[in-house]
Structures are given as C-alpha cells and as structure tokens.
Amino acid sequence: MRLLYFVCWILIESSTHCKQLPPVILVPGDGGSRIEARLNKSSHGPYPLCDQRTKDFYVIWVNIASVVHPLPTDCLVENFRLVYNNKTHRTSYPEGVDIRVPGFGGTDSVEWLSDTHFPKLGYFHELAENMVKWGYVRNKTIRGAAYDFRRSPNELEDYYTNLTKLVEETYYMNNNTKVVLLAHSLGNLVILYFLNHQSQEWKDKYIRSFITLGAPWGGSVKALRMIVSGDNVNIITVAALKARPMQRSMTSSAFLMPTNQFWNKFEVLIQTPKRNYTVNDYQQLFKDLNFTDGFLMREDVEGLVNPLRPPNVEVHCLYGNGLNTTGKWVYEEGAFPDKRPKPVDEDGDQTVNIRSLEGCLPWKHLQTQPFHSKAFQGIGHVDIINHGVSIGYIKSVLTNLD
Ligand SMILES: *[C@@H]1O[C@H](CO)[C@@H](O)[C@H](O)[C@H]1NC(C)=O
Ligand SMILES: *[C@@H]1O[C@H](CO)[C@@H](O)[C@H](O)[C@H]1NC(C)=O
Ligand SMILES: *[C@@H]1O[C@H](CO)[C@@H](O)[C@H](O)[C@H]1NC(C)=O
Ligand SMILES: *[C@@H]1O[C@H](CO)[C@@H](O)[C@H](O)[C@H]1NC(C)=O
Ligand SMILES: *[C@@H]1O[C@H](CO)[C@@H](O)[C@H](O)[C@H]1NC(C)=O
Ligand SMILES: *[C@@H]1O[C@H](CO)[C@@H](O)[C@H](O)[C@H]1NC(C)=O
Ligand SMILES: *[C@@H]1O[C@H](CO)[C@@H](O)[C@H](O)[C@H]1NC(C)=O
Ligand SMILES: *[C@@H]1O[C@H](CO)[C@@H](O)[C@H](O)[C@H]1NC(C)=O
C-alpha cells in the first residue's frame, strides 16, 4: 500500500490518474549473470595448482582474482569452458564440474557480478537504484532472470520453463499487472527466442512490453574475434589467447556471429593476406582454424532468431550509435589467427554494428503491437544501462504506461 501511495503521489503531482507501476524483469547480456561452480574432479587436469575439489559452490563468474591473476585465470578457463558433443549437438560441463546460476528471480545476481558487490562489477545496479526512486521494490516489482550466458537458446529449455513461471508469478504477485521484460545485449536474443515460442494468448495476458537495450539483432563483427583470436572482453583482463578456448567453447559466441540477414557475401569481415572471409565463408574459416566443431556449433544456432521475427508484444528498441565499432578485422602477415587483429571501424555502439542494432526497425510494420525505437548518440554498448539519458527514457516508458 505504501508503494501504491507513493506512485499515486508522483502521478498526481504530474496530474495523471493513479496507476500501478508495471513490474520489470531484468535479463542480462553476455557475461552479465553471476555463476557458481563446485568441483569434484578426478584429477587436477593441466594445471596442478588449480583446486581439484571444493566443499561447496563458489562464485566462478565473476571472481575478481581469476580475472586479474594468471593462475586463477588458467583455472577459470579450465573449469568455466563448455564441452561440445558433436554427435548430440549439446554442451556439457567439464568432468567433475557442477555449475549453477544463483539468485534466479532476485535482482542481486544481475545487479552485481561479484557476491562481494565489488563496485566495478556493478551491472544493473545503477538502473535498479534509480527504479527504486521511482517507486519500484526489489524482488517484488523488479526481478532478475539470470542465466548461463555461455549457452544459446537451444540449450536453455530449463531456463525458459523457469522464466515462464517467473513472469506468471510476478504478474500475480502484483495484482495481475502485466510484466515488462528489459534485456541487455545478448539477453535480447534470448528473450526474442522466448517470445517467438510463446503463444499470442500468453503474451497478451502476461507481457506489457519488451524494452531492448543494445541488442545485437544480427550479431556483431566484434564477436568474431573471440572465436578467431580470443578477446579480453569487458571485465576479463586476461590475455586474449588464454581466454580463447573458453570463448570458443561457448555456443553463445557462435550465436553472436554476424548473420547473413545483415551482411552480404561481398563484405569482408576478416581479412588476412592469404584469404578473406565473409558471412558466406564460415565453414572455410572454421576449417582454417582447425576448429571444425565450431562450424557445427554455428550451424546449431544460426537459425534460432534468423531471420528475425517480431516478438508481437509492444517493443521499445533502444541503442547507442555514433561510436567507432569494428566492421572488419584485418590480420597482418603472420598474425592470423593467434595475434591481435586491427579493427576497421564503422558506426555502432562500440560493440554492436549499427545495422545489427537497427535490426528491430522493420518490426514497426511487421507487428500490430506498438513499436518504438530510440537511438542515443554517443552512448556505448555497456554505458546504455547506466547512462542518465537512457535511464531517463526508461523512466518515462515505465511511469507513463497506461
Ligand atoms: C566426488 O566424486 C567421487 C568419485 O567420482 C564420488 O565418489 C564422490 O561421492 C564425489 N563427492 C561428492 C561430494 O560429490
Ligand atoms: C567430432 O568430434 C570427434 C572427437 O573430438 C572428432 O574426432 C570428429 O572429427 C568430429 N566430427 C566432426 C564431424 O567434426
Ligand atoms: C532478493 O531475493 C534474493 C534471493 O533470490 C535474496 O538473496 C535477496 O536478499 C533479496 N533482496 C531483497 C532486497 O529482498
Ligand atoms: C529452474 O528452477 C529449478 C527449480 O527452482 C532449479 O532447480 C533449476 O536450477 C532452474 N534452472 C535454471 C536453468 O534456471
Ligand atoms: C488490484 O486491482 C484492482 C483493479 O484495478 C483494484 O481495484 C485493487 O484496489 C487493486 N488491489 C491492490 C492491492 O492494489
Ligand atoms: C581481401 O579484401 C581486400 C579488400 O577488402 C582486398 O584488397 C584483398 O585483395 C583481398 N585479399 C584476398 C586474398 O582476396
Ligand atoms: C591447422 O593444422 C594444420 C595441419 O596440422 C597446420 O598446418 C596449421 O598450421 C593449423 N592451423 C592453425 C590455425 O592452427
Ligand atoms: C573514430 O575513429 C576515427 C579514426 O580513428 C577518429 O578520427 C574519430 O574521432 C573516432 N570517432 C569517435 C566518435 O570516437
């Protein structure tokens, strides 16, 4: 009741009628969920100094030590990789490693990547803090749907079952108020796949709208580097080559490769002195990397949201632009694939190319539900979650819904 009073008070101040804020479920992007592991391995594996057994689950992602010191990095890469089975087309954990995603439904594990709330590892925290000021309440009207971001939607069945329940539970918990799904980056593809597979009846009943931040609707050229050379992305400060086996093992990396809906066979994405690779040359690319399973992994995921189908719920498609973003990777003589490539830039949000960010725009004409989009000049891929301007826009969307 205090919440309702507070909201009504704000809305009366702005001379609107009284209404309940729509509950929001936050869905993180690549690397944006806290993940825990428990070890019970039959041997130490290649790194004798890594733990073989742990008593209980511990935070493996993000563990500050393992992203700044070399030894824990080796252990991270060894334990946090997935193992692809090219017969079943499924991934599993390495022998003796058990993984769980803590805090599903709560906001803590998506607000903070470290359980110690290490300030530099805040994720949705700034947004949640702002939402609380608008009358939101953590775990009641703001909820979190963390997932194992290493996997693609074709392996997230259990997550989707849990997410369906979470949406319904949140709706009933809040006096039958429809739920807003707010996702960042990869999380948007995970949610799009989810919505594409829900009945229209279910969506009409439970979903108020889908707010998308920095979605790589058609993949991103930057993601190719993770697979080819390794990438010390975002918070990992480790050497790129060390991270590569782990990044290659994640089917979400294959899922984020540029798609042939947005790039054509004349556009070089990877340039080497010997050979150029376009979106049509992925099979050759994986062959030249001696990583033929990689092509199978790509084939498994390439059709999950390609071609893009509208979610058929109200959409607010938000993204940054006007920033240098890799449009092509150029390898000098001897650099392919183990050395750092040079980027050739184009427009985007620093991580995702503009054509991919704008991939949602045709939905305006492809669905009957309202579609809104907004480009934020100069706001980067990660900044868009925390920036005052984008947060201000989200506020206007959430507090002005009828
Ligand atoms: C660890 O693995 C061993 C052998 O695989 C098994 O016997 C033991 O019960 C396991 N321990 C735990 C705590 O799961
Ligand atoms: C599947 O994996 C096995 C074992 O790693 C390998 O020998 C085989 O060549 C792979 N098959 C294909 C089709 O890539
Ligand atoms: C939210 O729920 C999680 C468990 O999912 C709990 O750990 C956390 O303390 C709760 N936060 C608040 C603010 O109630
Ligand atoms: C789904 O929920 C069940 C029951 O709470 C839990 O055991 C399981 O780990 C969850 N799975 C995922 C992928 O979130
Ligand atoms: C729930 O919604 C109904 C209909 O809008 C309203 O009459 C009722 O007061 C609401 N109850 C609460 C607890 O907010
Ligand atoms: C690769 O593409 C660049 C320009 O995109 C071109 O100049 C070069 O000749 C091509 N190299 C090969 C080996 O085809
Ligand atoms: C792939 O394997 C071949 C044959 O063993 C080798 O000559 C080549 O250098 C390898 N390429 C890479 C990128 O490792
Ligand atoms: C993009 O890169 C070019 C060339 O390096 C530079 O001149 C330009 O200022 C950069 N633009 C932005 C927005 O950073």
Side-chain angles (χ1 to χ4, degrees):
M1 279 328 280
R2 212 178 109 233
L3 165 70
L4 276 184
Y5 172 78
F6 183 60
V7 173
C8 291
W9 179 76
I10 295 180
L11 294 172
I12 289 161
E13 285 292 292
S14 58
S15 64
T16 335
H17 57 287
C18 178
K19 54 199 169 185
Q20 176 153 3
L21 288 167
V24 175
I25 296 180
L26 304 173
V27 183
D30 201 1
S33 298
R34 199 188 302 157
I35 296 191
E36 297 179 339
R38 184 174 57 190
L39 307 179
N40 182 19
K41 301 160 60 147
S42 55
S43 78
H44 281 283
Y47 305 106
L49 293 176
C50 295
D51 285 334
Q52 184 180 349
R53 297 199 169 87
T54 59
K55 260 210 174 96
D56 205 347
F57 282 93
Y58 66 99
V59 176
I60 186 168
W61 186 269
V62 171
N63 187 303
I64 316 273
S66 69
V67 294
V68 292
H69 301 302
L71 167 72
T73 297
D74 291 337
C75 305
L76 171 76
V77 169
E78 179 56 22
N79 295 327
F80 200 48
R81 68 198 159 87
L82 291 170
V83 180
Y84 181 69
N85 179 323
N86 65 18
K87 302 218 162 50
T88 60
H89 296 265
R90 307 278 303 180
T91 58
S92 57
Y93 309 138
E95 183 273 325
V97 178
D98 197 8
I99 293 283
R100 73 178 185 196
V101 181
F104 183 81
T107 63
D108 197 70
S109 63
V110 297
E111 282 191 64
W112 299 100
L113 295 182
S114 88
D115 52 344
T116 56
H117 293 189
F118 184 67
K120 288 215 166 79
L121 295 176
Y123 188 59
F124 278 123
H125 179 65
E126 185 67 23
L127 176 61
E129 283 286 286
N130 274 278
M131 289 174 70
V132 167
K133 290 188 199 135
W134 314 333
Y136 275 92
V137 178
R138 285 188 172 90
N139 288 5
K140 181 170 188 292
T141 45
I142 326 176
R143 311 202 70 192
Y147 60 100
D148 189 341
F149 53 81
R150 301 172 303 164
R151 286 182 158 150
S152 295
N154 58 319
E155 288 199 272
L156 293 177
E157 298 94 341
D158 290 352
Y159 172 71
Y160 286 135
T161 305
N162 290 0
L163 181 61
T164 306
K165 282 191 212 135
L166 181 69
V167 168
E168 293 172 5
E169 178 192 296
T170 303
Y171 170 91
Y172 291 114
M173 222 166 94
N174 289 286
N175 197 17
N176 301 352
T177 311
K178 291 188 193 184
V179 175
V180 172
L181 297 169
L182 186 155
H184 178 234
S185 192
L186 170 68
N188 290 293
L189 302 185
V190 169
I191 292 302
L192 179 63
Y193 180 90
F194 172 72
L195 293 172
N196 283 162
H197 288 81
Q198 292 290 338
S199 71
Q200 194 57 45
E201 197 188 359
W202 188 89
K203 289 186 279 199
D204 290 345
K205 176 161 182 191
Y206 294 107
I207 303 298
R208 181 61 187 84
S209 63
F210 179 20
I211 301 180
T212 78
L213 300 178
W217 299 116
S220 120
V221 174
K222 208 171 178 189
L224 284 174
R225 187 178 145 199
M226 287 197 284
I227 293 169
V228 177
S229 307
D231 189 348
N232 46 351
V233 272
N234 303 328
I235 42 184
I236 310 191
T237 56
V238 300
L241 263 191
K242 272 199 174 180
R244 183 171 73 183
M246 182 175 85
Q247 290 171 333
R248 281 188 177 180
S249 78
M250 300 181 178
T251 58
S252 58
S253 303
F255 187 42
L256 287 170
M257 290 170 72
T259 73
N260 59 9
Q261 189 180 354
F262 295 91
W263 276 267
N264 68 43
K265 63 179 179 185
F266 302 109
E267 294 174 291
V268 174
L269 302 176
I270 295 178
Q271 184 176 325
T272 79
K274 272 212 191 86
R275 208 193 153 107
N276 290 332
Y277 303 89
T278 72
V279 76
N280 272 17
D281 302 316
Y282 287 158
Q283 186 161 20
Q284 187 65 43
L285 174 66
F286 284 111
K287 198 165 166 242
D288 295 345
L289 294 172
N290 292 339
F291 175 41
T292 47
D293 274 359
F295 184 62
L296 301 177
M297 292 160 85
R298 174 62 192 163
E299 281 188 315
D300 293 343
V301 300
E302 71 177 344
L304 296 176
V305 294
N306 175 25
L308 285 176
R309 287 194 289 130
N312 293 333
V313 299
E314 178 171 342
V315 171
H316 294 267
C317 183
L318 314 179
Y319 51 91
N321 69 2
L323 295 169
N324 283 332
T325 305
T326 306
K328 168 164 100 166
W329 291 112
V330 178
Y331 289 84
E332 319 259 271
E333 191 62 48
F336 181 83
D338 292 346
K339 300 221 174 73
R340 202 183 168 79
K342 289 202 168 66
V344 175
D345 287 330
E346 58 178 42
D347 190 13
D349 72 357
Q350 257 162 357
T351 299
V352 183
N353 312 79
I354 189 71
R355 64 182 96 184
S356 181
L357 293 164
E358 289 176 345
C360 56
L361 299 184
W363 295 346
K364 193 173 179 60
H365 307 291
L366 294 174
Q367 65 174 27
T368 52
Q369 296 76 12
F371 176 89
H372 317 268
S373 66
K374 174 109 182 125
F376 297 101
Q377 171 75 26
I379 300 187
H381 187 69
V382 178
D383 291 345
I384 196 168
I385 324 175
N386 298 318
H387 199 284
V389 172
S390 35
I391 289 183
Y393 187 93
I394 293 169
K395 179 182 180 185
S396 71
V397 169
L398 294 177
T399 56
N400 288 327
L401 288 173
D402 289 321

